[in-house]
Amino acid sequence: MNTRWLSVLCVLWLAAYGQPVAAKTLTIYTSPTPVLSDASGSPDNPGFAVELVQGIISTAGFEHRLINQPGARTLRDTQHKALALSGLIARTPEREDAFYWITPVLENQVVLYALKNSILTSTAPGSTKDFDNIAVVRNDFRARRARSLNPASVVELNNWKQAVSAVLKGRVQSVLYSPAGLSSQCQQHQLACEELVPVAQLPSYYLYLAMAKVPKNAALLPVLKQAAQDYKESPAYQQLMYRAKVAFAQHGVTSVISDKLLTLGNVQIPVQGMPNLWVLADQLPYFVQSQGNKQLSGYTVELVRQILQHAGVEAPILLTPWPRILREMQFKPNVMTVAMARTPQREEQYHWITPVTRTQHALFGLASSHTPVIPELNKVPKQALVAVREGDFRAAALRELGIAVRTYSSWEEAVQAVIDQQADYVYSSRPRLAVLCKTNSDLCNRLQLKVPATIVTTYIALSKNNSDPALVARLTQAARQVKQSEEFQQHAARWRKQMTLLHNVPVHMEQGVVNLWPSKDTE
């Protein structure tokens, strides 16, 4: 559906519900930010973020008005007002449900800085035992990031000049900021920032074009998303990114353009002192397979090896039963696994390094049984018994719905329980059942879909129990670089071809993630 038709549908929807759309004018909230938003409001050079938002709104066929105001007010107004948006909203887990997220504006690093003579520079990067206090700006999202380092205290100040100056004067041990922000503050206020060095690196964050999650904005979302996609394909956007890259360089900030996104900063914490990393993997056909003599192969194995190589981290991939992986991830730091399903219940329990697969999960029962097809999972009868593998995320999801669960040590045993009528359903993925059907040709004839499938994404994930923040950042950045590399893209293309032609398992790639179902082009 093209942008023009989406715009028409948007207007019709708003008119039907009596919303004020006659003017079709959207408000852009922005705040003075070097390179991103020009405080002078110059129409010829309003700043990268502002010009990006203007381009998207124009592509969507709307008019706009620009309001320049302090950052806290921009965040508040964007979060609560209809027909208004901003390109300066940091996307964080706690804000996820408060906004409609339209498109990323840029990626930025989060780095902890301390004085050169600080005790932090003489210990392992990211070591939490030496953190005394960390400065941030009041109500900034980085305050939450700072607390994740378990310092004695987090000092919240009125602005970044105060936060940086507090460290330079020795009043606070460190400041959690971005390389771009620090460089701008140092230039603007002539601070002696050459005395500061990076001592820890946390996962990057993204600035997004976002608007409030309110009813009046609902119909705008598909219009603006499509307009953003169209604008980012245009030569005008390419030129805008390169102009911003030059402008950031003039502020002493390195930036990289990749996959239609501007990434700021290139801070790398030295590898020396990097803690030991455990990489644990459960066997999964085509993704993690044992070749004997402790050698592993498969799509995910190759992905992880390249990530570790790019991150400068040496760690073998150890074949480990899933229940033990869960125990190790729960209680130990710096433990990584290669296929953790990302669910709301797990969101705050792990560091999510990079997505690997998207899989369709569903309830399957005996084809010969009289149990009807159920429209959705929460409609499953409470008296039903569902089989799952021990430690699987689906067990917790079922129990939250009040559904009885029986766990088994393997998927083979869970499926057999349904065949033997010891359980009513098995909660599994289509690819998992397809693999089992290859060893038991009669199996797929005896099982039938009973609840429509939902999509779950698996990630390479790292334990969160005192894991090193520098390690998290290094692995996350390495994963992004690997997925963008020509070498890995060629590997992924070869693997996908083998899956389709040799194993008759239709898959397709989407933004570096394996979708375990046919693409629309091959259906």
Side-chain angles (χ1 to χ4, degrees):
M1 185 179 294
N2 61 36
T3 304
R4 180 177 297 175
W5 279 108
L6 284 168
S7 299
V8 171
L9 289 175
C10 173
V11 172
L12 291 174
W13 185 92
L14 291 170
Y17 286 89
Q19 307 294 352
V21 299
K24 290 202 301 182
T25 298
L26 304 180
T27 299
I28 302 174
Y29 289 118
T30 191
S31 305
T33 310
V35 182
L36 297 180
S37 177
D38 184 11
S40 68
S42 168
D44 297 327
N45 186 22
F48 172 72
V50 174
E51 195 167 344
L52 170 60
V53 179
Q54 289 174 332
I56 292 171
I57 289 176
S58 176
T59 301
F62 293 101
E63 301 293 333
H64 73 271
R65 62 179 183 135
L66 182 64
I67 296 181
N68 204 316
Q69 57 188 16
R73 191 178 301 168
T74 289
L75 176 62
R76 183 196 63 204
D77 289 348
T78 306
Q79 184 172 350
H80 297 293
K81 294 188 177 181
L83 305 180
L85 62 172
S86 175
L88 299 177
I89 306 300
R91 187 168 186 172
T92 65
E94 56 270 21
R95 294 176 181 171
E96 190 64 32
D97 294 331
F99 293 92
Y100 287 126
W101 304 98
I102 298 166
T103 192
V105 174
L106 59 78
E107 180 186 6
N108 206 355
Q109 290 184 304
V110 180
V111 177
L112 191 72
Y113 293 92
L115 289 170
K116 290 179 180 178
N117 61 359
S118 168
I119 190 174
L120 295 178
T121 63
S122 60
T123 57
S127 173
T128 59
K129 64 180 180 180
D130 294 320
F131 289 144
D132 183 7
N133 44 35
I134 300 174
V136 294
V137 166
R138 186 172 290 108
N139 297 324
D140 188 84
F141 74 94
R142 278 164 282 227
R144 186 182 182 96
R145 297 275 188 97
R147 292 187 181 92
S148 73
L149 297 174
N150 299 317
S153 64
V154 174
V155 181
E156 298 191 47
L157 299 167
N158 292 328
N159 55 59
W160 287 111
K161 178 188 176 183
Q162 292 181 2
V164 174
S165 297
V167 178
L168 290 172
K169 294 175 181 178
R171 296 172 182 169
V172 180
Q173 187 187 44
S174 57
V175 58
L176 191 63
Y177 203 11
S178 67
L182 182 67
S183 178
S184 297
Q185 289 293 321
C186 296
Q187 285 192 12
Q188 182 180 353
H189 302 293
Q190 298 183 339
L191 302 176
C193 292
E194 64 274 8
E195 297 300 318
L196 298 177
V197 293
V199 294
Q201 186 178 351
L202 278 66
S204 299
Y205 71 94
Y206 292 85
L207 285 183
Y208 257 75
L209 171 58
M211 59 184 177
K213 206 169 191 178
V214 297
K216 286 185 179 179
N217 287 343
L220 282 173
L221 183 62
V223 178
L224 293 174
K225 276 186 172 254
Q226 183 62 49
Q229 181 178 335
D230 292 344
Y231 180 72
K232 284 188 170 182
E233 295 288 345
S234 69
Y237 177 61
Q238 295 296 321
Q239 294 169 7
L240 176 61
M241 282 196 296
Y242 280 105
R243 291 203 311 272
K245 182 179 172 69
V246 171
F248 275 116
Q250 292 171 349
H251 282 73
V253 178
T254 301
S255 59
V256 177
I257 296 174
S258 62
D259 196 25
K260 303 183 183 66
L261 186 67
L262 195 65
T263 299
L264 302 186
N266 63 346
V267 169
Q268 288 281 3
I269 307 298
V271 176
Q272 289 81 6
M274 188 68 70
N276 291 331
L277 174 69
W278 282 21
V279 183
L280 308 181
D282 189 15
Q283 188 152 289
L284 180 62
Y286 312 124
F287 291 89
V288 180
Q289 299 182 127
S290 174
Q291 300 299 311
N293 299 321
K294 298 184 179 180
Q295 297 299 311
L296 300 179
S297 65
Y299 173 85
T300 311
V301 170
E302 181 61 25
L303 172 60
V304 171
R305 283 175 178 159
Q306 291 195 28
I307 290 172
L308 295 176
Q309 181 179 357
H310 273 69
V313 177
E314 293 185 7
I317 304 173
L318 305 175
L319 201 59
T320 309
W322 183 247
R324 183 186 172 189
I325 291 177
L326 284 180
R327 289 195 299 271
E328 299 290 348
M329 294 278 288
Q330 183 176 359
F331 297 112
K332 293 183 180 180
N334 306 319
V335 179
M336 190 168 82
T337 192
V338 304
M340 173 77 73
R342 188 169 185 171
T343 66
Q345 296 82 4
R346 289 175 172 172
E347 185 64 35
E348 298 298 325
Q349 298 178 14
Y350 304 98
H351 294 292
W352 305 99
I353 304 301
T354 192
V356 180
T357 68
R358 297 187 189 96
T359 314
Q360 296 176 332
H361 297 253
L363 247 63
F364 298 87
L366 284 175
S368 59
S369 71
H370 299 293
T371 55
V373 175
I374 303 167
E376 54 191 46
L377 198 60
N378 59 12
K379 297 292 196 308
V380 172
K382 296 299 185 284
Q383 70 272 17
L385 182 62
V386 181
V388 297
R389 186 183 62 169
E390 180 185 354
D392 191 83
F393 74 95
R394 283 161 282 218
L398 292 168
R399 289 186 179 111
E400 284 191 1
L401 295 173
I403 300 170
V405 174
R406 180 174 293 167
T407 60
Y408 296 84
S409 59
S410 68
W411 283 114
E412 289 83 352
E413 292 181 13
V415 171
Q416 192 61 44
V418 177
I419 300 297
D420 295 340
Q421 300 186 39
Q422 296 175 2
D424 299 295
Y425 308 101
V426 60
Y427 194 6
S428 183
S429 66
R430 291 181 183 273
R432 172 64 68 177
L433 286 186
V435 169
L436 295 178
C437 288
K438 289 194 172 185
T439 59
N440 184 351
S441 58
D442 187 48
L443 182 61
C444 284
N445 295 327
R446 301 183 66 182
L447 290 178
Q448 183 183 59
L449 182 74
K450 295 294 184 178
V451 175
T454 58
I455 295 175
V456 175
T457 305
T458 66
Y459 273 69
I460 296 172
L462 190 74
S463 61
K464 213 170 188 178
N465 186 21
N466 291 324
S467 287
D468 192 306
L471 179 61
V472 177
R474 185 173 289 277
L475 291 170
T476 304
Q477 184 171 3
R480 183 173 60 251
Q481 293 170 343
V482 166
K483 285 187 171 181
Q484 293 172 353
S485 70
E486 183 177 353
E487 177 186 1
F488 184 77
Q489 289 175 9
Q490 290 175 352
H491 162 72
R494 289 193 302 269
W495 179 85
R496 178 180 57 81
K497 187 175 181 180
Q498 289 176 356
M499 290 290 288
T500 303
L501 299 180
L502 298 182
H503 304 297
N504 196 28
V505 179
V507 301
H508 69 284
M509 304 293 296
E510 183 179 357
Q511 297 180 338
V513 183
V514 178
N515 288 337
L516 290 164
W517 60 84
S519 69
K520 292 181 179 179
D521 294 335
T522 59
E523 286 179 339

